[in-house]
Amino acid sequence: MKKPNWGTSIVIAFVLFISFILYFIIKVQSNSKYNNELVVEEYYKHDAHFSDEMAKIQNAEDLAEKPLIINSDRGVTIVFPNSFLPNEVKGKVSLYRPSAKILDFEYPLRLSNSTMLIPKKDFAGGKWDVILSWSYQGKEYISKQNIYIK
């Protein structure tokens, strides 16, 4: 039997490598265990409003007293400074789970005594992105924070 030369060996190695890569891609794309969904459904529409979002984030950064997002044993507490009138603060709290879109949820911002508690039972353990979007006296704000729920 004739031994293959080095050129044939390189071609065989490339074919095997490409076959492995194609097998891996097909397996990951077809198996529901591997979740590869988008973070944002309408990416381009979301991206078009990026400068507006950055202005709202800058508004929040410019505040002398900022709202706090506190992760505690009871859950996530949103605390607004006493200088804000609770009945004039309008908005929502969006909670995003980077690893599983199905766990994402939103709450309308309802303050009692300048605070709002989102109970820990509403969260699965892991990393969460908290986005606080609110308006106060005609100006809009956004605060973002990452938390980890045990």
Side-chain angles (χ1 to χ4, degrees), residues 19 24 32 38 42 54 58 81 100 125 140:
S19 299
F24 182 73
S32 63
L38 295 173
E42 297 174 343
M54 292 309 295
Q58 189 61 49
E140 295 189 12

Side-chain angles (χ1 to χ4, degrees), residues 93-96 101 103-107 118 122-123 128:
V93 181
S94 304
L95 297 120
Y96 296 105
K101 181 182 174 189
L103 297 175
D104 296 352
F105 59 96
E106 287 185 353
Y107 278 107
I118 302 169
D122 293 349
F123 294 93
W128 288 86

Side-chain angles (χ1 to χ4, degrees), residues 1-52:
M1 182 166 148
K2 186 176 177 186
K3 186 176 177 184
N5 65 14
W6 63 271
T8 307
S9 299
I10 290 175
V11 170
I12 290 171
F14 275 128
V15 168
L16 290 174
F17 178 72
I18 291 169
S19 299
F20 168 74
I21 296 298
L22 288 174
Y23 166 76
F24 182 73
I25 289 171
I26 291 168
K27 180 174 173 131
V28 169
Q29 292 297 323
S30 63
N31 192 341
S32 63
K33 179 174 92 172
Y34 302 106
N35 187 359
N36 51 10
E37 59 195 26
L38 295 173
V39 174
V40 177
E41 283 295 325
E42 297 174 343
Y43 176 78
Y44 292 107
K45 190 183 287 185
H46 180 266
D47 199 35
H49 300 289
F50 183 72
S51 61
D52 296 336

Side-chain angles (χ1 to χ4, degrees), residues 48-145:
H49 300 289
F50 183 72
S51 61
D52 296 336
E53 183 177 332
M54 292 309 295
K56 293 174 187 177
I57 290 171
Q58 189 61 49
N59 288 345
E61 288 297 317
D62 291 343
L63 290 172
E65 294 180 285
K66 299 170 182 58
L68 301 174
I69 300 170
I70 302 169
N71 182 12
S72 67
D73 291 337
R74 295 178 51 214
V76 175
T77 307
I78 311 294
V79 181
F80 275 83
N82 291 331
S83 60
F84 286 86
L85 299 173
N87 58 345
E88 290 188 28
V89 177
K90 306 289 183 221
K92 66 182 177 179
V93 181
S94 304
L95 297 120
Y96 296 105
R97 179 69 185 262
S99 63
K101 181 182 174 189
I102 196 165
L103 297 175
D104 296 352
F105 59 96
E106 287 185 353
Y107 278 107
L109 194 56
R110 292 190 186 117
L111 299 177
S112 64
N113 297 329
S114 298
T115 64
M116 176 181 168
L117 174 68
I118 302 169
K120 191 171 187 174
K121 67 177 177 60
D122 293 349
F123 294 93
K127 180 183 176 189
W128 288 86
D129 296 336
V130 181
I131 300 175
L132 178 60
S133 304
W134 83 98
S135 63
Y136 182 70
Q137 296 179 341
K139 199 167 185 180
E140 295 189 12
Y141 305 89
I142 292 179
S143 295
K144 296 181 180 185
Q145 185 173 327

